Amino acid sequence: MDAKMLMHPILPSLNGKNLSGLKDAQGKPFFREIVDSVHNGKNGIVKYYWTKPKGKKLYAKISYAKVFKPYNWIVGTGIYVDDLKTKMQQEAMGAIRSMRYGKNGYFWINDMNNKMIMHPIKPEYDNKYFIDTPKVPFVKLGTDKLKETKLDKVFIEYSFYTPATQKYSHKLSIVQLFKPWGWVVGTGAYTDYINAKIEEERKKAQEEMESQITHIIATSLLVLLGMIAIIIILIQKIIINPLESFKYGLDKFFKYLNINPERIAKLDESGNDEIATMAKEVNKGIEYAVKTHQELISLRKQLEQKVKETSDNLDKTKKDFDLLNQDRQESLAFGKLLQNSIIPDAESIKKACSDFFVCKHQPKETSSQFYIFDTVKKHEYIFALIDVKKEGMSGVLTTMLVNALFKQYTASLKHTEDEQISTSAILGYINEQITTLVKTNANSGFISKAGIDCAVIFFDKNANVVKFSGANISLWYSQDASLQVIEPVYETIGNTEAKDVEFKEDVIDVGQYLELFTSTSSYIKEYIDTTDFVSPFESEKNIFKENIDKTQNESIVLGFQIDNRPKIILEYEGE
């Protein structure tokens, strides 16, 4: 199965060699193909070029191979295409030589060079060329017409000796080219015999047809005259008279439908024919139609009354719905106003960093995602990005609650002197408060059990350090044109099953330069190529802004630049 030759009876020099790379004259690695063809228990057939025993010339060969499973051997054998072709030609020639049809029908074979290959009646013609030979014209006639028309099959006409009459007669033959072997196979028939048989059959058919036509015409005329007389009498009695009565009754019924008299006349049901039966069924239909007509008049009056009542109720319902919808729109507008009120202004953020940007994709009227900023001391600042995963007024109320908890905690920090501010402690405090509220207000619907995603960033200008803690929101940063990531704790705030989760805190030394990026909905991870990162602060291209509309989810992206590099001021005096 590795294409290694175990035994070759003709070329023992191949034994023991790996032949997977051996190719034939056309570049085919045929031993490798033989191995591939028998995989999965299949039997393989491969065509290639190989020399015959004790020869150097290459011939087309077809080999058959099969796996002997006990030893995992591939046993193969093959046949050369030209040997197979010679054998097939001999068998085909013998079969065609013995074919007969009719009294004198047979087939002959010649090639396209006008050489007779086999003639079953005149074996002395075999292997002879027939060019410009009047006694044997059909060979050249057939090959010339095949070449001229470029068809595979043609008809030819000529005179040839007839064994039955011992005379030359007109003959019509068909010859067909078998291209794979270059054989022209032909057969033919003498037209005088065919024409005589056709004429004999035509006369018999003509005489029989004339006799049949005369008999049919005479019989048909007699039958037709009798049927016409009977039909005229029956039509008047069976069809015309009952139809007149039927028409009269239907006219009365349709007049009833138009003017609604008290009574209508029924159709005549007397008789045993189809029209009487149809009249009975129509009378039943008329009775049912009259009854239905009266019921429909009554039902129409009832429906008109119901439509009037329903219309009055719909008018009242629409007014109530308009009032309810107005209240809802006012509530959403108020909620949007509340949310916008907690968004920090740009001037306050600029005190904390050198530059920043905010990219938002928020298709909903009231967003469930927001960010806040607060100053603890003159040189200490806290940023927070929050996704409360709640819509409508419930999301607005949860937004205001989380904002209030942040404000409460940062307010307590402003009155401490030496205490180190911890972002993980801030997340822990918010988580504890929200979890308690979820448990105590489980049925209110205002606090989501699904939890809240949050990221907290603390920046100390004096210490020149950044601290980060996240709940399901990552922090990305860049100091040397490469984008690094700090993974969060993958737990949501307010998850009652993970109330005591410990949030980790990561510290970054700002140094002379630092860029910070964070986003909700895993936006950066999905849409930003971190391996080919271009700083939005150091170039005119902002990839975060360009890609924000690609996301299907509501998203906020925050970017901050802290630049402590020395600024060089050049002063020039003179010309």
Side-chain angles (χ1 to χ4, degrees):
M1 295 299 287
D2 296 324
K4 178 183 176 183
M5 178 60 71
L6 300 179
M7 184 282 294
H8 196 290
I10 305 302
L11 297 173
S13 60
L14 299 178
N15 295 347
K17 294 183 179 180
N18 188 305
L19 304 180
S20 59
L22 182 62
K23 298 179 180 179
D24 68 357
Q26 294 185 344
K28 177 185 286 189
F30 56 94
F31 274 108
R32 183 73 261 167
E33 288 194 9
I34 290 174
V35 173
D36 293 341
S37 68
V38 298
H39 271 294
N40 301 322
K42 296 180 179 179
N43 302 331
I45 296 177
V46 177
K47 183 179 178 181
Y48 58 99
Y49 286 87
W50 193 247
T51 58
K52 290 186 177 181
K54 299 180 180 180
K56 295 183 179 180
K57 186 178 178 181
L58 294 172
Y59 295 90
K61 188 175 184 179
I62 299 174
S63 287
Y64 171 83
K66 189 172 183 179
V67 176
F68 181 63
K69 291 185 178 178
Y71 296 166
N72 208 26
W73 285 359
I74 299 174
V75 181
T77 185
I79 186 169
Y80 292 92
V81 176
D82 62 333
D83 293 345
L84 180 62
K85 177 181 175 182
T86 301
K87 182 180 179 182
M88 291 174 67
Q89 286 179 340
Q90 291 172 352
E91 292 178 354
M93 195 181 301
I96 295 172
R97 186 191 304 274
S98 62
M99 286 182 182
R100 295 292 186 275
Y101 62 90
K103 292 183 178 180
N104 302 306
Y106 61 86
F107 295 86
W108 78 86
I109 305 172
N110 60 270
D111 63 13
M112 290 297 288
N113 295 318
N114 301 313
K115 177 184 177 182
M116 178 65 71
I117 296 175
M118 183 279 295
H119 196 291
I121 306 301
K122 299 281 188 178
E124 62 270 20
Y125 291 172
D126 293 355
N127 297 316
K128 292 183 178 180
Y129 290 88
F130 293 94
I131 302 173
D132 297 329
T133 311
K135 290 185 178 182
V136 190
F138 52 87
V139 176
K140 191 171 188 306
L141 281 174
T143 57
D144 287 350
K145 195 165 185 180
L146 286 170
K147 293 175 182 178
E148 178 185 350
T149 61
K150 296 182 181 180
L151 298 175
D152 294 338
K153 177 170 61 179
V154 295
F155 287 93
I156 56 175
E157 296 179 72
Y158 54 95
S159 293
F160 198 64
Y161 182 77
T162 307
T165 62
Q166 297 183 350
K167 295 179 181 180
Y168 280 88
S169 302
H170 181 267
K171 193 171 186 179
L172 177 66
S173 292
I174 180 171
V175 294
Q176 179 155 351
L177 174 64
F178 183 62
K179 287 184 178 179
W181 296 347
W183 281 8
V184 179
V185 182
T187 186
Y190 295 96
T191 56
D192 53 357
Y193 172 75
I194 297 174
N195 293 336
K197 290 295 290 182
I198 292 173
E199 182 63 24
E200 180 182 347
E201 293 297 325
R202 189 189 66 78
K203 287 181 179 180
K204 288 182 181 179
Q206 181 71 24
E207 291 172 358
E208 185 176 352
M209 184 173 63
E210 290 176 354
S211 176
Q212 290 290 337
I213 290 174
T214 303
H215 178 72
I216 290 170
I217 291 174
T219 304
S220 298
L221 284 174
L222 292 174
V223 173
L224 183 60
L225 290 173
M227 289 182 64
I228 290 173
I230 295 170
I231 289 170
I232 291 173
I233 297 170
L234 291 176
I235 287 175
Q236 183 66 36
K237 182 179 179 180
I238 299 174
I239 300 177
I240 295 178
N241 294 340
L243 283 177
E244 289 292 338
S245 176
F246 195 81
K247 177 178 177 296
Y248 175 78
L250 287 179
D251 287 341
K252 290 291 186 181
F253 171 65
F254 288 119
K255 286 180 181 178
Y256 162 80
L257 293 179
N258 290 328
I259 62 176
N260 193 20
E262 294 183 0
R263 299 189 63 183
I264 62 172
K266 289 187 177 181
L267 302 181
D268 183 10
E269 301 178 1
S270 60
N272 296 320
D273 56 12
E274 288 80 359
I275 294 179
T277 302
M278 187 168 59
K280 291 178 183 179
E281 295 300 323
V282 172
N283 282 335
K284 292 178 183 179
I286 290 173
E287 290 176 1
Y288 180 75
V290 171
K291 182 181 177 182
T292 305
H293 186 248
Q294 297 296 336
E295 291 175 352
L296 286 174
I297 292 173
S298 175
L299 181 60
R300 184 185 66 183
K301 292 179 180 179
Q302 295 177 23
L303 286 175
E304 287 175 350
Q305 180 62 28
K306 288 289 185 183
V307 168
K308 184 177 182 304
E309 294 174 0
T310 303
S311 179
D312 294 341
N313 291 334
L314 284 174
D315 289 341
K316 183 178 181 302
T317 302
K318 182 178 182 302
K319 290 179 182 178
D320 294 341
F321 177 78
D322 289 342
L323 290 173
L324 181 64
N325 189 49
Q326 182 179 352
D327 290 342
R328 177 182 175 277
Q329 293 296 330
E330 290 176 354
S331 296
L332 288 175
F334 179 67
K336 186 176 181 181
L337 182 64
L338 287 175
Q339 286 185 329
N340 289 336
S341 67
I342 68 174
I343 301 299
D345 62 280
E347 294 301 322
S348 61
I349 298 178
K350 285 182 180 179
K351 296 177 181 178
C353 57
S354 307
D355 198 1
F356 78 99
F357 67 82
V358 181
C359 297
K360 294 186 290 186
H361 178 74
Q362 296 177 325
K364 300 183 183 68
E365 189 173 357
T366 53
S367 173
S368 63
Q369 301 178 2
F370 65 100
Y371 60 98
I372 58 178
F373 169 79
D374 202 358
T375 303
V376 182
K377 296 176 183 178
K378 287 186 177 180
H379 57 88
E380 296 176 341
Y381 308 95
I382 292 178
F383 300 91
L385 179 60
I386 301 143
D387 183 357
V388 300
K389 300 183 180 299
K390 203 74 172 175
E391 297 181 2
M393 286 306 297
S394 177
V396 171
L397 293 175
T398 308
T399 298
M400 301 309 296
L401 173 62
V402 175
N403 179 60
L405 290 172
F406 265 99
K407 294 292 184 182
Q408 179 181 347
Y409 191 87
T410 54
S412 66
L413 295 175
K414 293 179 181 180
H415 302 291
T416 59
E417 293 295 333
D418 299 325
E419 183 178 353
Q420 290 291 324
I421 296 176
S422 169
T423 54
S424 60
I426 296 174
L427 276 186
Y429 171 77
I430 300 299
N431 181 47
E432 181 181 358
Q433 297 299 316
I434 295 296
T435 304
T436 302
L437 287 170
V438 168
K439 286 187 174 182
T440 56
N441 299 274
N443 298 322
S444 66
F446 292 126
I447 303 298
S448 172
K449 288 186 179 180
I452 301 167
D453 296 344
C454 183
V456 179
I457 304 170
F458 171 73
F459 174 43
D460 186 341
K461 267 192 171 183
N462 288 354
N464 209 23
V465 295
V466 168
K467 298 179 181 180
F468 168 75
S469 292
N472 267 346
I473 298 180
S474 305
L475 179 70
W476 301 78
Y477 68 94
S478 173
Q479 288 181 308
D480 54 0
S482 64
L483 204 56
Q484 309 295 325
V485 62
I486 298 177
E487 299 290 350
V489 173
Y490 288 101
E491 290 286 351
T492 56
I493 292 174
N495 185 354
T496 54
E497 285 75 17
K499 176 183 177 182
D500 300 326
V501 63
E502 293 186 5
F503 295 96
K504 68 184 183 74
E505 181 177 72
D506 290 274
V507 180
I508 305 173
D509 184 13
V510 176
Q512 289 194 343
Y513 188 79
L514 179 66
E515 294 179 7
L516 301 171
F517 309 98
T518 185
S519 73
T520 60
S521 306
S522 302
Y523 168 80
I524 297 177
K525 187 175 181 180
E526 292 182 17
Y527 294 98
I528 303 302
D529 184 2
T530 59
T531 61
D532 190 18
F533 177 67
V534 178
S535 169
F537 297 107
E538 297 291 288
S539 68
E540 296 181 357
K541 182 179 181 181
N542 189 338
I543 53 176
F544 300 94
K545 180 179 178 182
E546 293 175 359
N547 292 315
I548 191 67
D549 289 329
K550 292 182 180 179
T551 177
Q552 301 297 318
N553 302 319
E554 184 177 5
S555 297
I556 293 181
V557 186
L558 298 179
F560 305 97
Q561 180 195 47
I562 303 173
D563 189 356
N564 296 325
R565 294 174 295 189
K567 308 299 185 291
I568 300 174
I569 300 176
L570 298 179
E571 183 176 319
Y572 176 76
E573 292 182 359
E575 296 182 1

